[in-house]
Amino acid sequence: MIDRHATAPEICLVFPCYNEEEVLPDLLQALKVLDLGIPTRFLFIDDGSTDGTLSLLQKACDSNPQMAYLSFSRNFGHQVAVSAGLKHARGDLIAVLDADLQDPPELLSQFIAKWREGFDVVYGIRTNRKESWFLRICYHNFYRLLEKTSNIQIPRDAGDFALMDRRVVEVINALPEHNRFVRGLRGWVGFRQAGIKYARPARHAGKPSYNMKRLTRLALDGLLSFSSAPLRLSAWLGAGAALLGFGYLVYALGVFMSGKDLPEGWTSTVVLILFLGGVQLMVLGILGEYLGRIFEEVKGRPHYVMNEYAGWLTEPSPAKE
Ligand code: UDP
Ligand code: MG
């Protein structure tokens, strides 16, 4: 085991960027004055931006040898951008931050101190959220649901803002799945993990690109790729419906045996058909969600298509010991 207090590790900060031209100048300025006390590199992943993000990155990398970027051929999504960043990052420590300054880079000094104490993953825990009350309720319940249903520890209220040791990143990079729910994969890896609380500021400039639809998709990815509880739920629902049907059959037989005429039956038939039909459709839907994800994995396509890269990424990477 290396002595983490004695070494001066090299850190690489990874920023996924999608249409961030409004906030990038401020971010680049903040990074210019950032001093973490150890050698620092920056890696920007341009996730197929359609605004001036790429040209801003090109300019920044031309003038600053600490910086590099790689760009995608189109928008592949935040989680894929983070994964690409982890793949191409260099150094002993890798940090993932949002480009909109919602994850303050200067907090990394505290993260590094925690790493020196022996933790391999240090992630940020959001103590306050500046989003609307409706979104806050959604986030709150999602993390609690995930914790209850998944078979691994996924820290509550932790996003992708984290510092990881090289050995953790190597494991994540080796995971083949296409559905990259990075904070889930990070939890799956194990090792010693710790959270640091921070008040998450509002987005510095520009607009968030996560709308309700994308957030729902991310939440579904998280739930379905880390938990088979929904499958179990569908089985229980099916069993419940069948039991209800059976109970009704017994009741109808009872009525028949007692010599009375069976009731007209229109209402009960309709209720049963609606109920069973509803349960069946729901179960099929859940199965479909899993099947769709299996289909994505089986196709085995690359996670992203690279457009171009520059900065220190063009230097040959040091041979791995
Ligand atoms: N992002 C990305 N690809 C996308 C959407 C977002 O790389 O398709 C980046 C974005 O530039 C930002 C981070 O992911 O750095 C978080 O996005 P955003 O601020 O929209 O999300 P929120 O802070 O609302 O979770
Ligand atoms: Mg944001």
Side-chain angles (χ1 to χ4, degrees):
M1 201 73 184
I2 55 160
D3 179 3
R4 292 184 176 182
H5 289 278
T7 52
E10 194 189 338
I11 189 170
C12 181
L13 276 59
V14 171
F15 296 93
C17 309
Y18 178 56
N19 291 347
E20 298 287 9
E21 68 176 358
E22 282 180 48
V23 78
L24 261 184
D26 293 331
L27 174 69
L28 293 170
Q29 188 52 39
L31 296 184
K32 218 177 252 170
V33 296
L34 178 72
D35 181 16
L36 295 172
I38 52 175
T40 309
R41 287 174 194 262
F42 307 106
L43 174 58
F44 301 89
I45 313 296
D46 171 39
D47 186 8
S49 299
T50 50
D51 64 357
T53 300
L54 185 58
S55 60
L56 281 174
L57 290 178
Q58 282 163 341
K59 245 183 258 144
C61 293
D62 279 347
S63 59
N64 189 338
Q66 282 178 292
M67 296 190 176
Y69 73 83
L70 78 82
S71 70
F72 288 171
S73 62
R74 64 167 170 85
N75 180 244
F76 278 88
H78 176 204
Q79 299 292 306
V80 177
V82 171
S83 304
L86 295 182
K87 267 233 153 67
H88 292 274
R90 300 203 183 147
D92 314 291
L93 297 174
I94 290 113
V96 177
L97 300 92
D98 277 6
D100 55 10
L101 287 166
Q102 282 194 291
D103 303 329
E106 59 280 1
L107 269 186
L108 285 175
S109 308
Q110 290 179 38
F111 284 38
I112 295 169
K114 265 271 182 259
W115 173 83
R116 289 198 196 277
E117 283 173 29
F119 292 95
D120 296 292
V121 175
V122 186
Y123 50 84
I125 302 175
R126 302 150 181 193
T127 51
N128 70 324
R129 285 187 174 268
K130 292 258 155 76
E131 289 89 0
S132 72
W133 61 268
F134 177 70
L135 264 186
R136 280 213 302 271
I137 292 179
C138 290
Y139 282 124
H140 181 89
N141 287 317
F142 169 70
Y143 281 107
R144 271 140 203 85
L145 184 67
L146 195 60
E147 190 175 88
K148 286 237 153 55
T149 58
S150 70
N151 16 32
I152 52 150
Q153 270 284 310
I154 297 176
R156 280 184 197 183
D157 294 328
D160 292 320
F161 183 27
L163 174 80
M164 287 174 266
D165 190 272
R166 160 68 49 192
R167 60 182 181 154
V168 173
V169 172
E170 292 292 333
V171 179
I172 294 181
N173 288 346
L175 297 176
E177 49 242 78
H178 282 70
N179 270 309
R180 314 282 311 177
F181 185 61
V182 176
R183 62 202 79 162
L185 300 177
R186 196 180 70 204
W188 177 89
V189 171
F191 294 119
R192 289 188 71 195
Q193 310 214 354
I196 286 189
K197 294 201 167 117
Y198 76 109
R200 191 164 209 242
R203 175 175 255 282
H204 191 71
K207 279 194 214 58
S209 44
Y210 270 105
N211 51 25
M212 212 49 211
K213 196 169 143 212
R214 293 186 87 156
L215 277 175
T216 315
R217 204 183 309 154
L218 182 70
L220 268 184
D221 274 344
L223 273 180
L224 298 185
S225 44
F226 284 96
S227 161
S228 41
L231 275 178
R232 227 172 299 137
L233 173 81
S234 62
W236 279 111
L237 272 177
L243 208 69
L244 274 179
F246 184 73
Y248 189 74
L249 182 73
V250 172
Y251 164 76
L253 275 179
V255 174
F256 181 71
M257 297 291 224
S258 65
K260 285 185 213 147
D261 269 347
L262 274 178
E264 281 298 317
W266 167 248
T267 330
S268 52
T269 311
V270 169
V271 165
L272 277 180
I273 289 176
L274 281 181
F275 181 64
L276 284 180
V279 169
Q280 280 171 358
L281 281 181
M282 187 177 149
V283 171
L284 276 180
I286 295 177
L287 283 178
E289 286 288 334
Y290 279 96
L291 198 68
R293 280 168 175 74
I294 295 173
F295 184 51
E296 279 302 312
E297 300 295 337
V298 167
K299 280 188 287 189
R301 292 194 185 141
H303 298 181
Y304 54 86
V305 178
M306 193 132 83
N307 170 34
E308 59 174 63
Y309 59 94
W312 51 255
L313 272 179
T314 53
E315 300 159 12
S317 64
K320 294 210 175 81
E321 0 24 305

